[in-house]
Amino acid sequence: MGGAPAASAGGRCERPPLLPRVAATQGGGMLGKGVVGGGGGTKAPKPSFVSYVRPEEIHTNEKEVTEKEVTLHLLPGEQLLCEASTVLKCVQEDSCQRGIYGRLVCTDFKIAFLGDDESALDNDETQFKNKVIGENDITLHCVDQIYGVFDEKKKTLFGQLKKYPEKLVIHCKDLRVFHFCLRYTKEEEVKRIVSGIIHHTQAPKLLKRLFLFSYATAARNSPAMDPKKHAVMFDTLQDWCRELERTKGNMKYKAVSVNEGYKVCERLPAYFVVPAALLEEDIVFFQGRGIPIWCWSCHNGCALLKMSALPKEQDDGVLQIQKNFSDRIYKTVHRPPYETAKTEDLSSNFLSLQEIQMAYSKFKQLFLIDNSTEFWDTDIKWFSLLESSSWLDIIRRCLKKAVEIIECLEAQNMNVLLLEDNASDLCCLVSSLVQVMMDPHCRTIFGFQSLVQKEWIMGGHCFLDRCNHLRQSDKEEAPVFLLFLDCVWQLVHQHPPAFEFTETYLTVLSDSLYIPIFSTFFFNSPHQKDTNVGRESQDSQSKPLNLLTVWDWSVQFEPKAQTFFTNPLYVEKPKLEKVQRKGTHFKHQRQLSLPLTQSKSSPKRGFFREETDHLIKNLLGKRISKLINSSEELQDGFREFYDGWHSRPPSYQGLLLPRLEGPEIKVWAQRYLRWIPEAQILGGGGVATMSKLLEMMEEVQRLQEKVEARHHSQEALQAEAASPPRTSGRLSSLFPFALLQRHSSKPVLPTSGWKALGDEDDLAKREDEFVDLGDV
């Protein structure tokens, strides 16, 4: 801003500058709501009247109004830790100083910005409002990185600071980016809020110090909800027996209670399923390791099993004992009535957790955009950056591995045994994908939630470590569950009628990983959960904590918002109608998949539309052909099975296979692009198509009701007919999340980026720079 004094050595202004207080006569009546305009990237219209006052005067004059309009809503057990006033939440635009004044607070649950125009947000557009987390709320577990801006330079903040920044930038794990200008905040408040945020988001924590326990303790006497209304929890022997009956696996497998009270192994659940011929002493011998544990049974009697590897030993005597034990187990499961088993060692010839974490770390940087210029700059290298992250290729490899296993179960009538060190990471991922593809029950909301409970929660996936909730070690962090959700999204995108749930459901589920009022994703094992909530406590006087499960969506959303989770086009039963084999492709601004080859490039218009049509030929070169087919070719048997399924009309209540070719694996736009205004199409995209379909379905339903209710009067029918139809014109392609954006920014062709590239001949020589070719 013009007239700002020089910053001190600590990067802070000694005295806040005079700001123009605008009392505009045309469209400028936002000052009473705390909106302040400044030197943004575009020229603001000249105000009719300017009065120069200091920011603290604005804050003082509106203090009474602010206190009435803005209140900090605390959950049970939540405590305020520190706060700062006169904080400017900046709009994410180029060199922008515009934004909203308000308070920045930090509690033991979240960071919250209380803007002076909060009342303006209470309108019909916030129909998808989260009741726990507001638009300007960040749970402490959702904070990814914190940066400080010192003299226009952004630096990572951690530990104790010697000087404090004039601007705070917070990158979130749900890919939101917040900019808070502290230039006009009192220095003592800046020190408290910055130090408090850094400490409570980055310092290592103890499990019992998580807000999860504070919330559960405060709500101990609240009525307990019944989690079994939303999913099978698999915490009783009866749950496992019913699952065996549902899948027709009870003839060859049995549910056991040998680990009740976690007497045998703390990794395993209290109850699980093993081959019926397996002896109880074999389960106990190596504390649950080295034994096949049942996951799911196919309709032909074959089963999917998993096994954790035996401990690695150097002693020859112990190695011989392990060999004899393994031989005995394999003989047990290979003889009739069990089919021949194929072993898939996921620890040695598949992905590693380090690969997954490294790929996602690169991938997410494409969407943590600070401003519009940064967005357009990354667009020029969109393909090369997307390829170099390897995230889409990892998704493809996971889907391919699942299809390979399905081919063994379905076509070769073989049992498949998944082997992994602890059988709690890639085993959970692959076995869950197989079940989603083969079992239509797992494609319903109730079935999918039960699947996550069975394979991930009871399967001992280390959510606490993989999500790094305690901030104790980055070495164990890896987004395995997020990778699973991304793989499921690919299936939902390719076969929408096969799923009862929508991509919005998957997006909200991924966000719930970081909300510490639900116990679902905050423990490493059922044993750890039961131990810490008092269920195994020897003190009979202590009442176990009442922990919430994430599956009770009413805690976060009103019933109207929950309707976004259900797919209105879901096909419950097979229908005898001709189905178009080619999948429906929705238009996005930015191409969300890598191109296949030069000859198969999309003829549709690209991200810059007609401005780039004349450059496409120059940009397609030999490097494009390397983007997809870098991995091994499909084997003959697998290719025959894969091509055979895709040559037939799909049965949405039967086996479901994904398309694995490069362009078919896309970026999950709703999750990754929802906070970027430039990536949205107002009134367009798949949402516009879906909205029109919903309007048609609602109209058909209304007509059916009219036919059935013949006793309705003619006047009532005319009144209904006169009602105006709904319109989807205001919806964004990334609805329902995009409407949470309070500002809109029209995409403008960035001339500065193109000037730096030189002419077309020079541009064609740059093999690693690509321009979007349009949607596939």
Side-chain angles (χ1 to χ4, degrees):
M1 283 187 177
S8 64
R12 305 270 317 127
C13 291
E14 296 295 341
R15 185 183 180 203
L18 295 177
L19 290 176
R21 180 170 184 174
V22 182
T25 57
Q26 297 179 355
M30 290 299 294
L31 182 62
K33 298 299 181 183
V35 179
V36 177
T42 58
K43 273 192 173 183
K46 189 175 181 180
S48 58
F49 174 77
V50 177
S51 172
Y52 287 92
V53 294
R54 294 187 178 89
E56 63 266 25
E57 295 178 37
I58 297 176
H59 189 71
T60 302
N61 294 340
E62 299 184 358
K63 187 174 182 180
E64 294 182 3
V65 178
T66 300
E67 288 178 350
K68 292 179 181 178
E69 293 182 350
V70 183
T71 57
L72 176 62
H73 300 285
L74 299 176
L75 295 176
E78 186 178 4
Q79 296 181 350
L80 176 64
L81 301 176
C82 52
E83 65 177 307
S85 57
T86 325
V87 175
L88 181 67
K89 178 177 176 285
C90 300
V91 175
Q92 288 177 248
E93 294 179 3
D94 305 331
S95 304
C96 186
Q97 296 297 324
R98 296 191 300 111
I100 302 170
Y101 273 113
R103 285 189 298 152
L104 184 62
V105 303
C106 179
T107 73
D108 55 353
F109 168 63
K110 65 178 180 286
I111 302 166
F113 177 78
L114 307 176
D116 292 349
D117 71 331
E118 291 292 311
S119 61
L121 302 181
D122 296 331
N123 51 44
D124 293 336
E125 290 188 354
T126 57
Q127 55 183 308
F128 196 67
K129 183 178 180 181
N130 192 310
K131 296 192 293 184
V132 178
I133 302 297
E135 178 184 355
N136 292 321
D137 294 345
I138 315 166
T139 65
L140 300 183
H141 296 281
C142 192
V143 174
D144 191 13
Q145 291 288 339
I146 301 175
Y147 300 93
V149 177
F150 302 86
D151 300 325
E152 303 302 322
K153 295 181 180 179
K154 192 170 76 171
K155 299 179 180 178
T156 305
L157 301 183
F158 55 88
Q160 294 290 334
L161 301 181
K162 294 182 179 179
K163 61 180 181 179
Y164 290 85
E166 58 191 32
K167 193 174 185 181
L168 196 64
V169 182
I170 300 178
H171 287 185
C172 304
K173 293 181 179 179
D174 62 3
L175 305 180
R176 290 180 295 170
V177 178
F178 288 88
H179 295 253
F180 298 110
C181 179
L182 307 173
R183 185 174 296 171
Y184 314 120
T185 310
K186 294 179 180 178
E187 189 168 352
E188 287 302 316
E189 292 184 1
V190 171
K191 291 180 179 179
R192 282 198 300 270
I193 194 66
V194 173
S195 299
I197 289 175
I198 292 174
H199 173 75
H200 292 289
T201 59
Q202 297 186 352
K205 301 178 181 64
L206 297 175
L207 177 61
K208 279 297 188 76
R209 299 303 299 272
L210 292 180
F211 179 74
L212 174 71
F213 294 97
S214 302
Y215 181 82
T217 302
R220 188 191 291 267
N221 296 323
S222 301
M225 54 81 68
D226 182 13
K228 293 187 181 296
K229 293 187 342 185
H230 311 285
V232 179
M233 305 306 291
F234 292 99
D235 54 356
T236 66
L237 193 65
Q238 289 73 25
D239 287 346
W240 289 98
C241 292
R242 281 192 287 268
E243 181 69 1
L244 275 174
E245 293 176 5
R246 187 188 70 82
T247 60
K248 307 295 190 294
N250 50 343
M251 298 298 295
K252 302 177 183 179
Y253 299 89
K254 63 181 180 182
V256 296
S257 58
V258 64
N259 197 39
E260 202 167 29
Y262 307 101
K263 295 176 293 186
V264 175
C265 178
E266 295 180 355
R267 291 183 305 101
L268 294 174
Y271 312 99
F272 51 92
V273 175
V274 296
L278 201 65
L279 301 177
E280 187 172 305
E281 50 264 32
D282 289 333
I283 301 175
V284 179
F285 198 83
F286 278 109
Q287 297 181 327
R289 288 186 173 273
I291 61 167
I293 295 177
W294 177 86
C295 297
W296 181 77
S297 286
C298 186
H299 63 88
N300 59 10
C302 297
L304 181 63
L305 308 166
K306 64 181 178 181
M307 176 190 291
S308 56
L310 291 171
K312 296 180 180 180
E313 295 285 348
Q314 302 296 328
D315 184 81
D316 292 339
V318 177
L319 287 174
Q320 186 60 41
I321 294 174
Q322 290 184 352
K323 183 179 183 302
N324 295 337
F325 175 79
S326 298
D327 291 343
R328 186 169 73 251
I329 296 297
Y330 274 89
K331 288 178 181 178
T332 300
V333 298
H334 281 156
R335 68 191 181 197
Y338 303 104
E339 292 76 13
T340 305
K342 177 185 178 181
T343 301
E344 281 282 351
D345 190 349
L346 301 179
S347 296
S348 61
N349 54 15
F350 193 43
L351 297 168
S352 67
L353 297 182
Q354 290 75 22
E355 282 182 82
I356 296 173
Q357 174 65 9
M358 187 178 301
Y360 185 70
S361 296
K362 293 179 180 179
F363 178 72
K364 69 182 180 182
Q365 296 304 319
L366 296 174
F367 311 101
L368 292 167
I369 304 296
D370 281 344
N371 52 56
S372 180
T373 296
E374 185 178 342
F375 174 82
W376 289 101
D377 287 345
T378 59
D379 186 84
I380 297 172
K381 296 185 177 182
W382 171 251
F383 283 148
S384 59
L385 292 173
L386 190 58
E387 180 203 13
S388 63
S389 72
S390 300
W391 182 251
L392 295 186
D393 186 60
I394 285 178
I395 293 172
R396 189 187 68 84
R397 290 171 63 185
C398 292
L399 292 171
K400 179 174 178 291
K401 178 63 69 175
V403 176
E404 289 175 352
I405 292 169
I406 290 173
E407 192 265 339
C408 292
L409 293 168
E410 183 82 11
Q412 300 184 29
N413 292 330
M414 297 176 64
N415 290 338
V416 178
L417 178 62
L418 304 176
L419 183 64
E420 191 183 10
D421 288 342
N422 288 316
S424 60
D425 288 304
L426 298 177
C427 277
C428 300
L429 170 64
V430 174
S431 64
S432 298
L433 286 177
V434 169
Q435 293 175 63
V436 169
M437 294 181 199
M438 297 193 73
D439 191 345
H441 173 71
C442 297
R443 301 197 284 268
T444 65
I445 293 178
F446 184 89
F448 185 78
Q449 294 175 170
S450 300
L451 172 68
V452 173
Q453 279 292 140
K454 181 180 69 169
E455 295 297 331
W456 294 85
I457 311 303
M458 292 299 161
H461 181 66
C462 301
F463 283 101
L464 201 64
D465 293 340
R466 298 295 174 258
C467 298
N468 199 16
H469 287 318
L470 299 181
R471 297 281 183 173
Q472 291 182 351
S473 174
D474 294 339
K475 296 180 180 179
E476 299 293 324
E477 186 174 1
V480 184
F481 186 70
L482 180 59
L483 174 59
F484 164 66
L485 295 182
D486 208 330
C487 291
V488 174
W489 179 85
Q490 304 293 332
L491 293 165
V492 171
H493 181 74
Q494 293 184 21
H495 306 285
F499 292 85
E500 185 186 19
F501 51 85
T502 62
E503 67 169 341
T504 300
Y505 169 85
L506 295 174
T507 302
V508 170
L509 183 56
S510 71
D511 292 341
S512 300
L513 283 169
Y514 315 112
I515 304 180
I517 67 171
F518 306 109
S519 63
T520 310
F521 303 126
F522 276 84
F523 292 100
N524 284 336
S525 66
H527 168 263
Q528 186 185 50
K529 176 182 176 181
D530 290 348
T531 301
N532 285 279
V533 300
R535 292 180 182 174
E536 292 192 337
S537 174
Q538 302 298 321
D539 183 9
S540 59
Q541 301 295 324
S542 62
K543 182 181 178 181
L545 296 177
N546 179 26
L547 297 180
L548 296 177
T549 174
V550 73
W551 311 127
D552 184 7
W553 294 109
S554 64
V555 177
Q556 295 190 66
F557 298 98
E558 297 292 348
K560 184 177 180 180
Q562 292 181 53
T563 59
F564 290 100
F565 298 166
T566 304
N567 178 14
L569 304 182
Y570 171 58
V571 178
E572 296 188 49
K573 295 180 181 180
K575 295 183 179 179
L576 299 176
E577 58 182 346
K578 187 176 180 181
V579 181
Q580 184 75 16
R581 289 298 307 150
K582 207 169 183 180
T584 302
H585 297 295
F586 302 136
K587 182 173 180 178
H588 294 275
Q589 283 181 293
R590 172 171 286 189
Q591 182 166 320
L592 302 179
S593 60
L594 293 171
L596 182 58
T597 62
Q598 180 174 352
S599 61
K600 293 185 179 181
S601 60
S602 172
K604 297 183 181 180
R605 296 188 181 269
F607 201 44
F608 297 139
R609 300 176 182 174
E610 60 272 6
E611 286 87 354
T612 59
D613 286 349
H614 66 287
L615 295 174
I616 290 176
K617 291 183 180 180
N618 288 330
L619 290 173
L620 283 174
K622 59 182 180 179
R623 188 178 175 90
I624 278 266
S625 61
K626 302 176 184 178
L627 293 178
I628 301 302
N629 301 315
S630 58
S631 59
E632 70 281 357
E633 292 296 325
L634 302 180
Q635 299 176 357
D636 292 340
F638 174 84
R639 171 58 73 181
E640 182 180 354
F641 174 74
Y642 175 81
D643 290 341
W645 187 89
H646 283 287
S647 66
R648 299 187 298 270
S651 172
Y652 293 124
Q653 287 298 309
L655 176 64
L656 201 69
L657 297 186
R659 289 201 172 273
L660 301 173
E661 292 78 11
E664 300 293 342
I665 306 300
K666 299 180 181 295
V667 173
W668 183 358
Q670 189 189 72
R671 183 181 194 277
Y672 299 119
L673 293 171
R674 55 185 159 154
W675 313 121
I676 305 176
E678 292 82 0
Q680 301 171 14
I681 310 173
L682 293 178
V687 171
T689 304
M690 180 64 71
S691 179
K692 291 297 181 184
L693 289 173
L694 289 176
E695 290 176 16
M696 293 175 60
M697 292 177 66
E698 289 177 0
E699 181 64 24
V700 170
Q701 185 176 0
R702 282 195 297 268
L703 291 174
Q704 288 177 340
E705 291 174 354
K706 290 178 183 179
V707 171
E708 295 172 359
R710 295 179 179 178
H711 60 277
H712 282 181
S713 64
Q714 188 67 24
E715 291 77 11
L717 293 177
Q718 291 175 353
E720 289 183 18
S723 60
R726 295 189 316 161
T727 176
S728 58
R730 297 185 66 191
L731 299 183
S732 161
S733 58
L734 302 178
F735 179 83
F737 299 96
L739 283 180
L740 298 180
Q741 296 293 316
R742 292 298 107 195
H743 63 281
S744 60
S745 176
K746 294 182 180 180
V748 178
L749 186 65
T751 55
S752 59
W754 291 100
K755 290 177 181 177
L757 290 174
D759 57 27
E760 295 181 20
D761 294 333
D762 294 335
L763 189 61
K765 295 177 183 178
R766 302 190 183 191
E767 293 184 344
D768 62 334
E769 295 185 359
F770 300 95
V771 173
D772 174 55
L773 306 179
D775 190 33
V776 177

